[in-house]
Amino acid sequence: MEKGGVENPNKINEYACACSIVDSIISIIFGYDTGVMSGAMIFVKEEFHISDVKARVLAGILNLCALVGSLSAGRTSDYVGRRYTIFIALIILLLGFVVMGYGPTYAVLLAGRCVARVGVGFALMIALVYSSEVSSPLTYGFLTSLPEIGISTGILLGYLSNYIFSGLTLRLGWRIMLGIATIRSLFLAFDILKIPESPRWLIMKGRLGEAKEIMFKVSNSS
């Protein structure tokens, strides 16, 4: 690619697509958490002997905690950057899933779910922002739809996890269902560090040289 080339409206930038795909994988984790809890809840109620009210709190607390994460993500991303905000979201998710997978009591399980959902709020807000800021007009619609596709994929994987691990013992099955997401979160945290920062954020911070270099990589110029 030559710097100073002209925009090619028919060219799809594979580098920008790859960055958005990596960024959108975090939505799969959100979808997984949503889907897997529907099946894990059956085993959680049986082990902890909780009431229907407590079960509803465990399932419904996600929206409140995700709201906290979403409200915090914007200012955080403006301060540390889009990429590192996604990294922070993954670390929060990782901690939440570890606590949920451990879950010796209902209170600990609820705390882990709250932590994970704060990370989800961070992730959902910033994943879409990052995808929109590295995409060209040609691929904007496709790349910004990837987080939604990721959520649906994650829900499906959650249901499959329910089916696969439902045959394990009561104490082990649901913990593996919830805790297995830590593996994907851990690997994704390393992948996120390999993608570039948003050129728009770099421009906001006056780092024009770095922004220009990344824009040449993600644009459709030829």
Side-chain angles (χ1 to χ4, degrees), residues 13-21 134-136 139 143 217-219:
N13 188 295
E14 296 178 357
Y15 183 75
C17 288
C19 291
S20 293
I21 290 172
V134 299
S135 60
S136 67
T139 57
L143 295 183
K217 291 182 179 180
V218 301
S219 71

Side-chain angles (χ1 to χ4, degrees), residues 35-52:
V36 77
M37 183 53 75
S38 62
M41 187 69 72
I42 300 172
F43 305 103
V44 171
K45 288 181 66 176
E46 185 177 349
E47 178 172 339
F48 294 138
H49 306 290
I50 58 176
S51 64
D52 289 339

Side-chain angles (χ1 to χ4, degrees), residues 189-206:
F190 289 106
D191 292 338
I192 287 296
L193 295 178
K194 298 177 183 179
I195 66 175
E197 183 53 80
S198 160
R200 184 177 185 276
W201 182 81
L202 291 172
I203 292 173
M204 288 169 56
K205 295 299 179 179

